[in-house]
Every structure is written in structure tokens, then in C-alpha cells.
Amino acid sequence: MRKFGLCILVAASIASAPASAAKVSMTFKNLSNKRISVSKTSFCGTLSPTPSDINPGETSLKSSTDCGPGVSSAYVDYKNDAGVCRFVISTIYTNPNSVTGAAGYWTGTANATANSGSPTCKVESKDTTTTATDGDFAAVFSMK
């Protein structure tokens, strides 16, 4: 009987996971007058294309990762003479609540933090166009 209860619990948690995976996408702007370079990355799945150095005044290609149903996340550290900026993005699925009847939903977050030195690190914009429906979330970050 104990195994049956565990099987029901596992099946219920799988059934409550979203049907599709969510993708997070990051674009970076170099607003400084010096080249910025990637010093560290962390992500689930594959971050493609891999972030690379950005010349002054230029914008990177959009890098995306898809970690499967439930959550996707990544962070990229960029550095220049002023210091290091950490850019973080994630999208997380909250399961429906059978007690309250609340539906499941996606939440996308993005933040930019100076990890060392005194660079200006910003989230320029967020694209939540499809976050509510499929969890996809994108942000444009900048460093100066």
C-alpha cells in the first residue's frame, strides 16, 4: 500500500508539471568605451550561442537555454576595467494548488549586480510576451 501511495504522489507531481519547457534568453549591450569579456557562466542545459566578448557600443547575439519543464536559468559574468557585472535570468513554474484551486503559473526574473569594482550593471528591458503561456522569458542587459 505504501508503494501505491508513493506512485500516486509521483504521478500527481508529473501531471502538474507544465506540458512544455521554458526558454530563457539573454542579450548584452556594452555601453562602455572598453571591450567587455565573459569571466564566468553558469546555466542548465546548453547556452547557445555561447556569450562572447563585446566591443564598445555593440550588442551581443541573443543567448538562450531551455532546461526542461519547471525551471530554466542562467547567469553570465562580464568584466571590464571597472569591475564585474553578474547578469541573472530565470523562469520558474509554480504548480497549481489543489487546495485553493489556483492555476499553475510561470514567473520570470532578471537582475544585474556589480560583483566587484564599480561598473553600472542594468536590466534594460524584459520580454514577458509569452511567459504566461509557455514560460519563455527574455531580458536585455547592459554594462557600462
Side-chain angles (χ1 to χ4, degrees):
M1 190 62 158
R2 196 175 195 177
K3 287 183 183 178
F4 178 74
L6 180 60
C7 288
I8 295 296
L9 180 62
V10 170
S13 67
I14 291 171
S16 64
S20 64
K23 175 176 63 176
V24 290
S25 301
M26 311 170 82
T27 304
F28 306 95
K29 292 181 175 184
N30 181 356
L31 302 179
S32 72
N33 59 4
K34 304 248 181 185
R35 185 177 178 95
I36 62 174
S37 59
V38 176
S39 63
K40 189 173 185 181
T41 61
S42 180
F43 47 88
C44 56
T46 302
L47 190 59
S48 179
T50 304
S52 59
D53 295 359
I54 307 170
N55 290 321
E58 292 187 1
T59 300
S60 73
L61 297 174
K62 184 187 294 187
S63 297
S64 301
T65 188
D66 184 340
C67 306
V71 65
S72 286
S73 64
Y75 78 76
V76 176
D77 289 355
Y78 267 100
K79 67 179 179 178
N80 66 9
D81 294 343
V84 178
C85 287
R86 173 159 291 175
F87 303 107
V88 181
I89 190 167
S90 67
T91 186
I92 299 171
Y93 184 73
T94 300
N95 288 321
N97 186 322
S98 60
V99 175
T100 65
Y105 59 93
W106 288 96
T107 305
T109 59
N111 61 56
T113 309
N115 274 3
S116 68
S118 57
T120 302
C121 316
K122 285 186 178 179
V123 178
E124 294 287 329
S125 64
K126 299 175 190 178
D127 181 356
T128 60
T129 307
T130 60
T131 304
T133 56
D134 61 19
D136 289 356
F137 181 65
V140 176
F141 300 95
S142 68
M143 180 172 186
K144 184 173 183 183

